[in-house]
Amino acid sequence: MNTESQQKYLDKINEHLDMKELKNIVDTIFDVDISNSVRKKDYVEARMVFTKILRDRGATLVSIAAFLDKNHCTILNYMGNFDNYFSEQSLKKKYIVCREAFFQKRPVDRLYLEKDKISAIENKYKRFKHILNIMNDRTPYGKEAVLEKKIISFLNGI
């Protein structure tokens, strides 16, 4: 084996190890097994996040499809629909946690703790979820200080 073919072989092994690591992270955060071919929303979203992170990393459609035991067209579909699903706040949070954990190489046991913290925060502010979504959707970037002043003056009047 020459050095070029050895390097390609090592790259494939490293890519596969990265995929296994990311799979563990996504499985933990979404509390599913993405290798299961269930078509429930949680599973599909988890596979979309898995695919998006790997595509951002430079993985090919074929390699992702082979790992998930899917067709490359399914991976294309995940990528095409990701933005539609990404508008949901809960999916954004999970995507960001998975992405940061993968790129910062955080161990999975710490992810369980972070998942618990996220759940606690979500439960604490559950009654304000609708209000927070409205504020997030309607507040242009850079105008957060204006919104804060308006909220404070409103609450002072109550």
Side-chain angles (χ1 to χ4, degrees):
M1 223 192 254
N2 63 18
T3 29
E4 185 177 320
S5 60
Q6 285 176 333
Q7 187 59 43
K8 284 183 181 180
Y9 181 72
L10 289 174
D11 288 345
K12 278 192 173 191
I13 290 175
N14 287 333
E15 182 180 57
H16 187 75
L17 291 174
D18 283 348
M19 287 182 183
K20 285 178 86 172
E21 180 184 342
L22 180 59
K23 180 191 178 302
N24 288 335
I25 291 169
V26 171
D27 286 352
T28 301
I29 297 301
F30 281 85
D31 199 23
V32 297
D33 179 7
I34 63 172
S35 59
N36 192 338
S37 62
V38 174
R39 292 184 179 181
K40 290 183 180 177
K41 184 178 179 183
D42 291 344
Y43 289 82
V44 172
E45 287 178 348
R47 287 191 289 267
M48 282 183 177
V49 166
F50 177 82
T51 300
K52 174 70 171 152
I53 293 170
L54 287 175
R55 287 293 290 164
D56 289 348
R57 185 89 186 272
T60 64
L61 296 173
V62 173
S63 64
I64 297 169
F67 185 83
L68 290 175
D69 196 27
K70 302 281 183 196
N71 189 308
H72 75 280
C73 295
T74 304
I75 305 305
L76 272 174
N77 188 38
Y78 288 159
M79 294 303 300
N81 288 323
F82 184 80
D83 291 334
N84 297 336
Y85 281 83
F86 195 67
S87 61
E88 295 179 27
Q89 283 298 108
S90 60
L91 182 61
K92 280 184 186 178
K93 290 175 190 172
K94 290 177 180 179
Y95 168 74
I96 290 168
V97 170
C98 291
R99 183 177 167 78
E100 287 180 1
F102 180 65
F103 285 112
Q104 294 175 5
K105 302 290 184 190
R106 288 190 298 208
V108 173
D109 58 340
R110 284 188 50 209
L111 289 175
Y112 279 115
L113 295 174
E114 290 177 19
K115 182 180 176 187
D116 292 340
K117 287 179 187 177
I118 290 171
S119 295
I121 291 169
E122 284 178 343
N123 288 334
K124 182 178 179 180
Y125 297 107
K126 185 185 260 181
R127 68 185 184 137
F128 299 113
K129 182 178 181 179
H130 181 68
I131 296 167
L132 292 171
N133 285 337
I134 290 170
M135 289 187 313
N136 186 47
D137 292 341
R138 293 188 177 182
T139 305
Y141 286 99
K143 298 292 184 177
E144 293 83 5
V146 174
L147 177 65
E148 182 180 359
K149 286 180 184 179
K150 288 184 178 187
I151 291 171
I152 290 170
S153 65
F154 172 77
L155 293 174
N156 285 339
I158 292 179

